[in-house]
Amino acid sequence: MNMRRLGRTDIDISPIGLGCMQFAGTDNYTRLIINPINQETATSVVRAALDNGVTWFDTAEMYGKGRSEETLSTALRQCGIAPGQVSVATKWTPHLRTAASIAATVGDRLKHLGGHPIALHQIHSPSGSLSSISAQLKVMARLFREGTIGAVGVSNFSARQLELAHDVLAAEGVTLASNQVRISLLHRKVEQDGLLETARRLGVTLIAYSPLEGGVLTGRYHGDVSLARSAPPARRIFSRNQLSDRGLARTAPLIEAMRRIGEEHGATISQVALNWLITRYGDTVVAIPGASRPGQAAEAAGTMSFRLTESEIRTLDELSLI
Ligand SMILES: NC(=O)c1ccc[n+]([C@@H]2O[C@H](COP(=O)([O-])OP(=O)(O)OC[C@H]3O[C@@H](n4cnc5c(N)ncnc54)[C@H](OP(=O)(O)O)[C@@H]3O)[C@@H](O)[C@H]2O)c1
């Protein structure tokens, strides 16, 4: 599958990247959402992603205050990847901070990334900061102009906030590269809330996070519903509608269709879930599945070796709305 342009930047990325929240360690909130992994496993995960065509990695300050960034940079070094050879995206944490902290903390990001440049720096959330969105983007624009970061992105922004971010940056002569949001076969809000249409119009890439809904879209819970009770605690709470016996029964026909369609391509259920994302929305959407094992990272990257047909996409579209 061809590489994708990140927004209107000159950065090319693989349609599938690797989400690195799983690298954040055990002493922070992320362990409530994902199963954390150690350095050795993280290095194997990164190696599996690289070996199967992944060219970029998404991390964040919030993932263990630099721990995920550090684990990623160590993994890349252990895999023999030199700075600049792959693209690294990270994020600034806005909570209870002013815009000035973007510039004040970018050095920490670079330090944790161990020499790997920041290809994309993102505002993690539109809320929580003591400064306006405009003020935050102006600092990002300055860092871009100075060459400290390669591109500017946002995360969890609504259509209206995206428009504002785009306009503020445009006035500074800078392009808005991306908005990282939750999109999956079971979470298609972007089609209704104007975000997809706005991103397309503005030439902004949507980076789909939690594209496997934490494993629901791999079929693993449908195969053994009792497994849902061992999902990480925050997933059990926030995804309770998906993980309940009733929720799993509701999505069983979708998973069954994904299995059948996958067989046509020699692909797994999770690969069908990811392929739907990077095919259904054209070039606008790329995805960053997370992995806690190298086999999962290889499987996710393997998604890039086939393409669902239009009729298969339509079938999945219909079943995912039931
Ligand atoms: N910007 C934001 O606000 C935001 C929010 C959330 C996430 N993110 C980013 O998005 C990335 C991905 O999201 P996510 O980790 O929440 O969800 P996800 O990609 O939907 O799910 C990843 C989890 O699914 C399981 N899995 C993956 N491949 C599998 C396979 N082939 N078979 C069975 N299980 C499989 C693994 O869990 P097990 O360990 O249980 O096997 C893995 O940790 C994160 O790493 C992070 O970088 C960003």
Side-chain angles (χ1 to χ4, degrees), residues 18-23 29 33-37 58-60 63 91 122 124-125 154-156 180-182 207-216 218-221 230-232 235 268 270-271 274 288-293 295-297 299-300:
L18 179 74
C20 299
M21 194 201 283
Q22 282 71 4
F23 301 1
Y29 81 99
I33 307 172
I34 45 85
N35 292 315
I37 57 177
D58 178 79
T59 178
Y63 304 160
K91 314 181 195 83
Q122 305 155 97
H124 206 138
S125 157
V154 294
S155 178
N156 297 304
Q180 187 174 133
V181 286
R182 182 173 166 193
I207 301 175
Y209 73 67
S210 303
L212 297 173
E213 293 293 335
V216 174
T218 69
R220 68 199 261 185
Y221 298 121
S230 64
R235 296 247 201 234
T268 63
S270 76
Q271 289 175 328
L274 296 174
I288 45 166
S292 64
R293 287 193 281 277
Q296 294 178 347
E299 192 173 321

Side-chain angles (χ1 to χ4, degrees), residues 5-261:
R5 209 20 85 95
L6 178 66
R8 291 182 177 148
T9 69
D10 57 2
I11 301 170
D12 284 330
I13 52 173
S14 49
I16 298 289
L18 179 74
C20 299
M21 194 201 283
Q22 282 71 4
F23 301 1
T26 51
D27 60 353
N28 57 82
Y29 81 99
T30 59
R31 75 180 199 296
L32 302 174
I33 307 172
I34 45 85
N35 292 315
I37 57 177
N38 63 21
Q39 181 67 61
E40 195 187 344
T41 310
T43 300
S44 311
V45 163
V46 167
R47 186 171 288 118
L50 290 166
D51 287 349
N52 289 281
V54 165
T55 69
W56 65 291
F57 299 83
D58 178 79
T59 178
E61 175 180 15
M62 212 189 270
Y63 304 160
K65 294 200 179 107
R67 177 72 181 270
S68 165
E69 293 166 322
E70 242 169 63
T71 303
L72 172 63
S73 75
T74 302
L76 289 171
R77 194 180 66 246
Q78 291 177 344
C79 291
I81 299 295
Q85 227 179 309
V86 294
S87 298
V88 175
T90 191
K91 314 181 195 83
W92 167 71
T93 306
H95 303 303
L96 297 177
R97 287 161 142 186
T98 64
S101 105
I102 300 176
T105 57
V106 74
D108 293 339
R109 309 275 63 70
L110 288 164
K111 192 172 100 233
H112 290 300
L113 287 172
H116 287 275
I118 301 172
L120 174 70
H121 203 14
Q122 305 155 97
I123 296 172
H124 206 138
S125 157
S127 54
S129 172
L130 303 172
S131 301
S132 66
I133 284 175
S134 304
Q136 295 166 48
L137 285 153
K138 283 180 187 165
V139 177
M140 283 287 195
R142 179 159 57 80
L143 294 177
F144 172 80
R145 278 196 303 267
E146 290 168 3
T148 312
I149 61 176
V152 181
V154 294
S155 178
N156 297 304
F157 274 42
S158 67
R160 193 182 52 78
Q161 289 162 336
L162 195 71
E163 194 102 36
L164 170 67
H166 171 272
D167 292 352
V168 172
L169 285 179
E172 300 279 324
V174 176
T175 185
L176 175 62
S178 58
N179 185 18
Q180 187 174 133
V181 286
R182 182 173 166 193
I183 322 175
S184 76
L185 262 165
L186 295 178
H187 197 90
R188 294 170 53 186
K189 206 164 140 260
V190 293
E191 294 173 31
Q192 278 98 46
D193 63 10
L195 198 48
L196 181 64
E197 187 276 319
T198 307
R200 279 191 174 137
R201 180 165 43 81
L202 300 177
V204 171
T205 294
L206 294 179
I207 301 175
Y209 73 67
S210 303
L212 297 173
E213 293 293 335
V216 174
L217 286 169
T218 69
R220 68 199 261 185
Y221 298 121
H222 294 80
D224 177 0
V225 290
S226 67
L227 255 189
R229 290 183 256 296
S230 64
R235 296 247 201 234
R236 286 199 308 263
I237 297 168
F238 296 113
S239 300
R240 60 185 171 280
N241 290 340
Q242 291 179 6
L243 287 171
S244 66
D245 291 357
R246 227 168 116 194
L248 291 168
R250 187 176 54 82
T251 50
L254 170 66
I255 297 293
E256 177 50 27
M258 292 165 76
R259 192 190 55 71
R260 239 183 16 250
I261 289 171

Side-chain angles (χ1 to χ4, degrees), residues 271-282:
Q271 289 175 328
V272 171
L274 296 174
N275 201 279
W276 177 86
L277 267 174
I278 58 175
T279 308
R280 162 81 169 75
Y281 301 110

